[in-house]
Amino acid sequence: NLEIVEFPDSLEVVEEYAFDRCPKLSTVNLNNVKEVGNCAFQLCTSLTFIHVPGSLTTLVDHAFHGCENVSTMVIAEGVKTIEEDAALNLYNLKNITIPKSVTSIEKGSFHSCSKLEKVEFEIKWEGKPSGLLERFLTVLHLNFTDYQITKDELIIKKGFFKQITNTTELYLLKD
């Protein structure tokens, strides 16, 4: 029957499966948590918003798997890695913000996020960007022929957004 969880600033670790299958959990404030174990919030189907604090450098495998009613995920500056299946099956995810501190997005991180409408992706590059943007677009199951990246711009080709079902906006914020 747990509905709200707010961690004290002194808590640094949320163990694996700690809140697994808490269907009424609607609000989680991670504050300064530095580590969230695998499947910690898996199948918390009442969550609608996820804020990943910068103190959490890695969003681990299956951390929020199956939180199907999440519509917005904001990942704060400081997060470096989004592991495989971290946000798997967030079927209603519409908005996501990924900061420039993210240097690794693993395969399947956002698999089955079929209602994605808006992606804010901050990326810092000099010359042609590293493979991170390409990797993210691949994570969204896009074909490399759907877009082109040059030194200073992302060129979206015809039909690109159809590949991401509902996506109508992609913000690429160059530092």
Side-chain angles (χ1 to χ4, degrees):
N1 292 330
L2 190 61
E3 293 180 22
I4 298 173
V5 174
E6 185 164 344
F7 297 110
D9 288 339
S10 60
L11 183 75
E12 294 185 354
V13 178
V14 177
E15 297 291 336
E16 290 184 354
Y17 298 96
F19 298 93
D20 179 31
R21 300 173 203 267
C22 288
K24 293 185 179 182
L25 184 62
S26 61
T27 304
V28 174
N29 187 343
L30 293 171
N31 287 329
N32 293 316
V33 169
K34 293 181 180 174
E35 183 181 335
V36 171
N38 292 352
C39 306
F41 297 97
Q42 177 176 253
L43 298 169
C44 292
T45 55
S46 292
L47 279 177
T48 58
F49 176 83
I50 297 172
H51 177 262
V52 180
S55 58
L56 187 70
T57 59
T58 300
L59 185 55
V60 299
D61 182 41
H62 290 94
F64 294 99
H65 168 227
C67 296
E68 60 189 39
N69 288 307
V70 170
S71 62
T72 301
M73 176 182 271
V74 176
I75 300 172
E77 185 69 31
V79 176
K80 296 182 183 340
T81 302
I82 301 172
E83 289 186 353
E84 183 174 356
D85 299 333
L88 174 68
N89 296 339
L90 271 63
Y91 299 119
N92 290 298
L93 184 65
K94 293 180 181 176
N95 304 295
I96 186 164
T97 301
I98 299 175
K100 63 184 171 218
S101 62
V102 173
T103 57
S104 176
I105 300 173
E106 296 180 7
K107 181 180 177 183
S109 299
F110 298 97
H111 186 70
S112 296
C113 297
S114 59
K115 293 187 180 176
L116 201 57
E117 294 174 357
K118 181 178 179 183
V119 177
E120 288 188 15
F121 194 101
E122 297 177 49
I123 188 167
K124 181 176 183 177
W125 76 69
E126 294 175 11
K128 189 172 180 182
S130 67
L132 183 61
L133 180 59
E134 287 104 330
R135 182 78 173 140
F136 178 70
L137 296 172
T138 301
V139 164
L140 293 175
H141 303 288
L142 297 175
N143 186 315
F144 283 104
T145 61
D146 297 328
Y147 59 90
Q148 176 185 355
I149 300 172
T150 68
K151 181 179 176 190
D152 293 310
E153 62 187 347
L154 169 67
I155 300 166
I156 305 293
K157 295 185 179 178
K158 185 177 180 182
F160 175 86
F161 291 113
K162 291 179 184 175
Q163 298 282 337
I164 322 177
T165 311
N166 293 319
T167 302
T168 56
E169 299 176 70
L170 175 68
Y171 292 85
L172 184 66
L173 308 173
K174 186 175 179 186
D175 191 22

